[in-house]
Amino acid sequence: TVDQREAANPEATSWVAASAGTGKTRVLTNRLLALLLEGAEPRQILALTFTKAAAAEMADRVSEALEEWVTLSDEKLEQALFQLAGNRPDQEQMALARRLFARVLEAPGGLNIQTIHAFSQSLLGRFPIEAGVQPGFKVLEDSEAAALLDSSLDRFLVGLNSLDNPPVAQVFEAMGEEALRSIIAGLVRERGRLDRLRGPNKLPVEEITGPLADLLDHVEGSTIAGLEQELVKGGDVPGDVQAILRSFAEWAIAKGKDRNQNNAPVFDAVAWAGLPHREQRAAQWRVYRNLFLTGTGTPRNLQSATTKPFRDKHSESFEAWLVEQERVVAVDNAIKTCRTMDVSRALMDTAYTVLDDYEAAKATISRVDFDDLILTTINLLTADEGAGLWVAFKLDQGLKHVLVDEAQDTNPDQWAIIRGLTKPFYDGTDVHRTDVRTSFVVGDLKQSIYGFQRADPQVFQAMKKEFEADVSGADGHWIPKNLNV
C-alpha cells in the first residue's frame, strides 16, 4: 500500500503504529531491503526484535526476496523494485539488486538482525573491559539464574537467626518463606531500578525510602508499639468514653438489648473498660480500636449501634465519642503507615543483601544473566565520559540505521539502549558527516496494555515524541504512520 511504501522510505526516520494483520513484518522487511538498495552495507544496519523466532522470520523474508531478485527477469525485477520504492529503477539499481544476495552472504555475520539481548551480549563481548565484565563471560539460562538466586537467599535465611534485624525477622514470620522468596525474587528482577535508587555510593535504605515516608506522612522515630499505646492512651479509659459506655450499658440492661452485628463492638468495649488493670486494657488495644473502626479499617457507623432517643439523652457524651473516633482513626492510620515503612525497609534491605551476594556469586563463576546484559549495555551506551565515549565513537562509525520491531513490548530499560544507539544520529556532534542516518520503529500501542516485561503504553508514546523532537531538531525527514487496514 501507499502507507507501507512511505513508511519504508530509507531516507526518513519512521514511526509506524500498526495493528495486527496490517503488514508490520512486511513494512519492516521492505525497509531493510530499501536500505540495502540505497547502498547501505549489511554491517551498517541493526534490526532489533523481541524474540529469536521474529528475528529468524525477518532474516528469512529478506533472504527470500534477495534470492528471488537474482533469478527474476528484467521486467519482473523492475516491477518488484517499483512496487517496493514507488520509483522506476535504473540499470545501476537493477544490477545492485542482483548483487545484494551475494553481498549479504559474504558480509561477516550476515544481516544484523538480533534480539535486544543478543545485541547486548555481542556488544559486551566486543567491549568487555569498557563494560566492566570479565572477558569470555557466559550468560546464565533463566533456570540457572533462578537456582543461583535461590542459593543467595538460602544463605541469607540461614543467617537470619544470627542477625540483629527484627523487622526482617517479623516480615519472614508474617509472610512465610515461600511468599518472601517470591517477593525478593521480584525485587531482584527490578534491580536496575533498585541500583539507580541506591546510587554508586550505596545510600542507606532509610534515605532511599524517604520519599515514601513523605508520601505517607510517616513520622520518623515512631514505632508500632508506641502508637498502640497512644491509641488506648496507655490503657487509661478517657472520661467521655467511660461516660458513653456506662450509659450504653445501663440503657442496654433497661431495654433488654442483646448483642447483634451493629452493637457487639460496644458490648466488647464495655467489658474492656471494666478490666481492673490498665496493663490489661493496653494489651487488648484492638478491642478499643474495634469500637471505632470496622474490620476493614473504615470508620464505624456509631449511630447504628444506638437509637435516636439514646443519642438525644446523652448528646454531649455522644459528640465526644465521635471526636474520639477521629483521633483513633488518625492513630490507626499512623500504625498502618509505620507498618508499611517497616515492611518496605525490611524487604528492600533484604533485597540489597541478597542482590549483593547474588552478584558476587555470578562474578565468581564469570557469569551474567539476561538482566545484566541490558543494564550493563545501558551503562556502556549512556556513559558520557571515559570508556563510554570511546564505545559510542566506535559504534557511531559503523552504524547508520536502527530498526526496532514489536516496539510495544520494549520496556524502559530496553528503550534506554535504543536511545543510546540512535541519539548520536540527530545530535549534530559530527558536523562533517553527510550520509543519512535513520531510525525505524514499528509496534502496536494497544498491545502495550498487557505490560509484558514492564512494557508501558505511556513510555511508547513518550519515545515517539522524543524521536520526533530529535528528527525535527536535526532538520531530518520524519514520517509517522498509522496502519489500521
Side-chain angles (χ1 to χ4, degrees):
T1 66
V2 173
D3 284 339
Q4 290 174 330
R5 184 181 295 143
E6 289 180 357
N9 184 344
E11 296 184 353
T13 287
S14 302
W15 187 284
V16 182
S19 299
T22 59
K24 287 190 294 183
T25 307
R26 173 181 291 277
V27 175
L28 191 65
T29 302
N30 287 353
R31 173 74 173 215
L32 214 159
L33 291 170
L35 289 170
L36 292 171
L37 278 172
E38 285 294 307
E41 297 290 339
R43 61 179 175 79
Q44 297 173 328
I45 304 171
L46 173 62
L48 296 173
T49 188
F50 209 75
T51 64
K52 293 179 181 178
E57 181 183 0
M58 198 190 314
D60 286 344
R61 290 201 185 194
V62 173
S63 296
E64 288 172 4
L66 296 180
E67 185 179 355
E68 187 179 51
W69 288 355
V70 175
T71 57
L72 286 177
S73 65
D74 286 349
E75 182 180 350
K76 289 185 177 180
L77 178 59
E78 181 183 3
Q79 181 59 31
L81 298 183
F82 172 74
Q83 186 175 358
L84 176 68
N87 299 311
R88 293 292 175 186
D90 55 27
Q91 289 303 312
E92 185 177 345
Q93 287 176 313
M94 296 271 287
L96 174 60
R98 295 192 187 280
R99 294 195 302 270
L100 284 177
F101 183 67
R103 177 182 290 182
V104 169
L105 281 180
E106 294 168 358
L111 287 171
N112 201 6
I113 303 174
Q114 304 182 65
T115 65
I116 200 160
H117 287 94
F119 166 74
S120 297
Q121 184 176 351
S122 66
L123 184 66
L124 299 183
R126 184 178 169 190
F127 301 103
I129 305 302
E130 293 84 350
V133 298
Q134 294 168 313
F137 69 87
K138 293 184 179 180
V139 180
L140 290 167
E141 295 296 330
D142 286 338
S143 58
E144 296 173 313
L148 204 62
L149 178 59
D150 277 342
S151 297
S152 294
L153 189 52
D154 286 341
R155 283 189 287 274
F156 174 80
L157 294 177
V158 167
L160 187 59
N161 290 333
S162 61
L163 292 176
D164 184 19
N165 197 332
V168 175
Q170 290 170 10
V171 169
F172 177 75
E173 183 178 347
M175 291 183 172
E177 182 176 344
E178 186 175 345
L180 182 63
R181 282 183 180 276
S182 176
I183 290 173
I184 296 303
L187 284 170
V188 171
R189 281 195 298 271
E190 300 293 344
R191 66 180 177 275
R193 289 194 277 182
L194 285 180
D195 285 342
R196 287 194 289 273
L197 284 172
R198 186 160 58 164
N201 297 325
K202 295 193 174 182
L203 296 174
V205 167
E206 288 74 19
E207 190 169 341
I208 293 171
T209 54
L212 176 61
D214 294 339
L215 182 69
L216 299 177
D217 293 327
H218 174 65
V219 178
E220 291 294 347
S222 59
T223 65
I224 293 177
L227 289 168
E228 290 171 354
Q229 289 290 315
E230 181 183 333
L231 188 143
V232 293
K233 297 188 174 180
D236 291 329
V237 185
D240 293 323
V241 174
Q242 279 188 330
I244 194 71
L245 292 178
R246 192 180 304 110
S247 299
F248 175 84
E250 294 171 355
W251 170 75
I253 293 171
K255 295 290 185 179
K257 292 288 184 180
D258 296 323
R259 288 171 60 97
N260 58 50
Q261 184 177 359
N262 290 329
N263 65 28
V266 192
F267 274 100
D268 292 339
V270 169
W272 174 85
L275 290 173
H277 303 295
R278 64 194 301 265
E279 291 79 8
Q280 291 178 290
R281 293 192 293 272
Q284 297 183 36
W285 64 272
R286 288 186 181 277
V287 176
Y288 189 64
R289 172 200 178 277
N290 293 342
L291 175 62
F292 302 99
L293 297 168
T294 67
T296 59
T298 57
R300 188 178 297 281
N301 183 358
L302 300 181
Q303 294 186 1
S304 65
T306 59
T307 63
K308 189 175 185 303
F310 174 85
R311 293 193 297 274
D312 290 342
K313 184 177 180 179
H314 308 282
S315 58
E316 290 187 7
S317 295
F318 189 79
E319 287 299 323
W321 200 15
L322 295 176
V323 172
E324 177 67 357
Q325 183 181 45
E326 293 179 4
R327 187 192 70 84
V328 170
V329 168
V331 177
D332 188 69
N333 285 337
I335 291 174
K336 293 176 183 175
T337 295
C338 199
R339 182 174 293 113
T340 298
M341 292 305 304
D342 285 350
V343 170
S344 298
R345 285 170 172 166
L347 287 174
M348 288 195 73
D349 188 54
T350 302
Y352 281 127
T353 303
V354 173
L355 181 57
D356 289 342
D357 185 90
Y358 176 59
E359 296 294 343
K362 285 186 297 180
T364 301
I365 57 175
S366 299
R367 297 290 192 272
V368 300
D369 61 21
F370 286 112
D371 289 331
D372 291 327
L373 295 176
I374 298 297
L375 299 174
T376 309
T377 300
I378 291 173
N379 294 335
L380 191 61
L381 292 177
T382 57
D384 54 5
E385 58 184 20
L389 289 177
W390 164 248
V391 173
F393 171 76
K394 294 295 287 182
L395 287 176
D396 199 34
Q397 295 302 299
L399 193 60
K400 290 185 179 180
H401 307 281
V402 174
L403 295 79
V404 183
D405 186 25
E406 301 292 357
Q408 77 277 351
D409 291 329
T410 305
N411 67 36
D413 287 336
Q414 293 165 344
W415 275 119
I417 292 176
I418 294 166
R419 295 291 291 153
L421 292 171
T422 59
K423 195 74 174 175
F425 291 2
Y426 314 105
D427 62 8
T429 53
D430 193 347
V431 295
H432 302 293
R433 292 190 69 147
T434 57
D435 53 343
V436 175
R437 293 183 288 176
T438 67
S439 307
F440 175 87
V441 178
V442 59
D444 184 1
L445 173 64
K446 298 183 294 300
Q447 293 183 41
S448 284
I449 64 173
Y450 297 113
F452 185 54
Q453 291 198 357
R454 288 198 295 116
D456 187 336
Q458 294 181 342
V459 174
F460 184 86
Q461 293 290 65
M463 286 299 109
K464 178 181 179 181
K465 292 179 181 178
E466 286 193 24
F467 272 95
E468 184 176 8
D470 284 347
V471 177
S472 299
D475 293 327
H477 189 181
W478 167 254
I479 296 180
K481 280 292 176 184
N482 289 308
L483 303 182
N484 49 29
V485 177

